[in-house]
Amino acid sequence: MNRKIVHELPKLCVPVMVKNIAEAKALDEKAGGYETCNVIEIRVDYLENINDELEDVVTILSNKFESKEIILTYRTVPEGGLGEYSYDSYRELLIRLCNLRCDYVDVEVNRGATVIDEIAAFAHRKSVSVIGSYHNFEHTPAIKDLAYISALISDSQADIIKIAVMPKNKEDVYDLLRFTAKTRRVTSKKLITMSMGEMGRCSRVFGFLCGSYLTFVTVSEASAPGQIGIFDCKNMLNKILGLKFSLIGFMGSGKSTVSAALAEILPYPLIDTDEYIVQSERMSINEIFATKGEDYFRDVEEETLKELLDSATVSIISCGGGIIKRESNRRALKEKSCNIWLNASPETVLERVKDDDSRPLLKGKMNVSDISDMISQRRPMYEDTYSLKVDTDGLGPKEIVINIFDKVIS
């Protein structure tokens, strides 16, 4: 699927929203975390007298942050900013921005591809890159609409695609991350995406694994809902870079489905330990149990898990339901993986596995009482192993994935 494992953290961009020359001069560039970021976004739509003070304010701030990359942004009211310039005055302002000390200018795609291309032609002569941006503070458009917007920017002369949307539910957050992962595989242009608000907070951390190369963080005031403080965000990013995810839980808890949903958006291979064993042994789980016994299966399972956890490859591991029965497996998981316990009620498990005859341990036990007893027996083992616990009853895989991400960064 043309995936590239991510080995680097995203750039951290801090928005600066001064109102005038006095505030620009008073800003302390050595306080609050500015020194930690890579990029400064100067939001010129916050200037009270943009006509007379634009050049002076940008000069003051660009000198303060001379070691940082600079984005100059005039965000209009329809896209969450304060700017109200009309079509012609917007174009003229963007030309002014390209003449100032900056590395990027932001051009809203809703102004039309013609405007993007016109500004880009001028910007490129000044060695300035163009961010073609789309913001929707009302909702998250359908995937096909996001793809259309992305293609419009990609086909223009813009250098970077930026899409920021507001989720109505956790499925929207998942869809934005999945869209990012799929788009990253088909475009040569850099990509910046985010799901805004508190609900979309995890996208600002996990987005870089999906292909978003920059995330917006705060030192003081946020320029958009859901932005995270720079130090908190950096800690979260360092926490998840190179982190292996292992899903544990009883049969029917959703490990296969959720791990597949994770693999849709994270750039890591998915390994199901049961499937791995079936392929290596060239027989089904039922056949292994019937011909070689459970102890043999558990020995192979232990060797398989050790191999996967010791591998340098970052992966998503969907563990067999009984893998935690051995203390050596639990110890290895705790040492080398983020272990996600998918918890499901006996009723939910029965509903999911009642028509599945490939589970030898449930033979003759397809009822709530027996399943409840088996879960109770294993619960202390899950509790001994898990890094985080996520309930799956009544939830779809997209919601569960976002719940996992939320818990990882909490």
Side-chain angles (χ1 to χ4, degrees):
M1 300 202 304
N2 194 29
R3 297 190 178 192
K4 181 179 180 181
I5 302 297
V6 177
H7 297 289
E8 296 181 356
L9 295 174
K11 291 187 176 183
L12 301 179
C13 179
V14 172
V16 172
M17 297 160 287
V18 298
K19 297 178 182 178
N20 49 50
I21 291 174
E23 288 190 3
K25 289 181 176 179
L27 187 144
D28 184 356
E29 72 277 12
K30 296 180 180 180
Y34 287 114
E35 71 282 356
T36 304
C37 73
N38 312 100
V39 185
I40 295 291
E41 181 187 40
I42 302 175
R43 285 287 301 271
V44 300
D45 53 299
Y46 276 75
L47 291 176
E48 295 171 332
N49 187 359
I50 191 170
N51 290 330
D52 296 333
E53 296 191 350
L54 173 64
E55 283 77 10
D56 287 338
V57 166
V58 172
T59 298
I60 292 167
L61 293 176
S62 62
N63 286 337
K64 284 178 179 285
F65 297 107
E66 61 181 353
S67 65
K68 312 293 185 184
E69 293 183 298
I70 302 292
I71 301 173
L72 296 183
T73 298
Y74 180 80
R75 182 71 61 235
T76 61
V77 171
E79 301 218 4
L82 303 180
E84 296 181 332
Y85 274 20
S86 64
Y87 183 87
D88 289 333
S89 56
Y90 179 85
R91 290 167 57 253
E92 293 171 3
L93 174 64
L94 269 289
I95 295 296
R96 283 178 71 187
L97 295 183
C98 292
N99 280 310
L100 301 177
R101 188 281 191 187
C102 65
D103 300 279
Y104 313 90
V105 293
D106 181 294
V107 185
E108 296 172 351
V109 68
N110 283 331
R111 295 284 171 162
T114 300
V115 172
I116 293 180
D117 290 344
E118 182 179 345
I119 300 303
F122 187 86
H124 292 159
R125 291 198 295 272
K126 299 289 184 176
S127 299
V128 173
S129 297
V130 169
I131 300 172
S133 67
Y134 170 83
H135 299 76
N136 190 318
F137 282 76
E138 298 298 323
H139 68 284
T140 299
I143 294 294
K144 63 180 179 62
D145 296 324
L146 290 176
Y148 173 80
I149 295 163
S150 174
L152 185 65
I153 301 172
S154 184
D155 292 341
S156 76
Q157 296 303 307
D159 305 283
I160 298 169
I161 303 166
K162 179 188 177 188
I163 294 178
V165 293
M166 186 66 71
K168 294 290 188 183
N169 49 54
K170 292 188 176 183
E171 288 93 335
D172 283 345
V173 182
Y174 179 92
D175 286 342
L176 186 277
L177 290 172
R178 184 168 180 264
F179 162 79
T180 303
K182 293 183 71 173
T183 303
R184 177 67 275 165
R185 297 168 203 157
V186 299
T187 183
S188 60
K189 294 188 175 181
K190 291 179 179 178
L191 186 64
I192 303 171
T193 67
M194 66 215 70
S195 188
M196 295 184 287
E198 186 63 26
M199 187 178 292
R201 195 165 177 260
C202 69
S203 72
R204 298 180 180 274
V205 181
F206 279 90
F208 85 102
L209 292 177
C210 304
S212 183
Y213 99 110
L214 178 148
T215 190
F216 290 83
V217 294
T218 63
V219 164
S220 55
E221 182 182 358
S223 63
Q227 287 177 0
I228 303 170
I230 187 167
F231 295 118
D232 287 341
C233 188
K234 192 165 186 178
N235 288 337
M236 294 172 187
L237 291 167
N238 282 317
K239 179 180 180 181
I240 69 172
L241 182 63
L243 189 65
K244 290 187 179 185
F245 293 92
S246 298
L247 279 68
I248 61 174
F250 195 72
M251 293 171 280
S253 60
K255 297 186 299 296
S256 296
T257 303
V258 174
S259 60
L262 276 170
E264 279 285 315
I265 57 179
L266 296 181
Y268 305 144
L270 166 61
I271 301 101
D272 183 298
T273 59
D274 283 348
E275 292 181 3
Y276 191 97
I277 293 169
V278 167
Q279 291 178 11
S280 63
E281 294 291 309
R282 299 188 177 183
M283 61 177 68
S284 70
I285 303 295
N286 277 336
E287 289 172 330
I288 296 173
F289 268 69
T291 61
K292 298 185 178 182
E294 182 178 356
D295 286 343
Y296 175 84
F297 175 81
R298 296 302 175 197
D299 289 340
V300 175
E301 186 178 57
E302 181 178 1
E303 292 172 5
T304 297
L305 180 64
K306 183 178 185 304
E307 176 186 338
L308 297 176
L309 291 176
D310 287 345
S311 170
T313 301
V314 182
S315 56
I316 301 164
I317 305 172
S318 179
C319 297
I323 210 165
I324 43 76
K325 292 176 71 175
R326 288 195 174 180
E327 194 275 336
S328 56
N329 289 341
R330 300 198 299 272
R331 183 172 62 250
L333 284 165
K334 287 188 287 186
E335 290 176 356
K336 300 177 180 179
S337 177
C338 175
N339 307 311
I340 303 155
W341 176 15
L342 299 183
N343 183 50
S345 68
E347 291 78 9
T348 295
V349 169
L350 178 61
E351 180 62 29
R352 291 172 178 170
V353 304
K354 62 184 180 182
D355 298 320
D356 187 349
D357 60 3
S358 66
R359 304 177 187 271
L361 293 180
L362 288 179
K363 187 175 182 180
K365 297 182 179 181
M366 283 292 187
N367 59 80
V368 169
S369 178
D370 284 334
I371 290 174
S372 179
D373 288 343
M374 294 177 71
I375 292 176
S376 296
Q377 291 170 10
R378 294 184 183 184
R379 181 169 288 110
M381 303 172 194
Y382 295 129
E383 291 175 343
D384 179 48
T385 310
Y386 80 95
S387 307
L388 56 94
K389 177 182 175 182
V390 178
D391 294 324
T392 66
D393 288 355
L395 299 179
K398 294 180 180 182
E399 291 176 277
I400 295 168
V401 167
I402 299 306
N403 285 344
I404 289 171
F405 288 171
D406 286 341
K407 287 183 178 252
V408 168
I409 67 172
S410 64

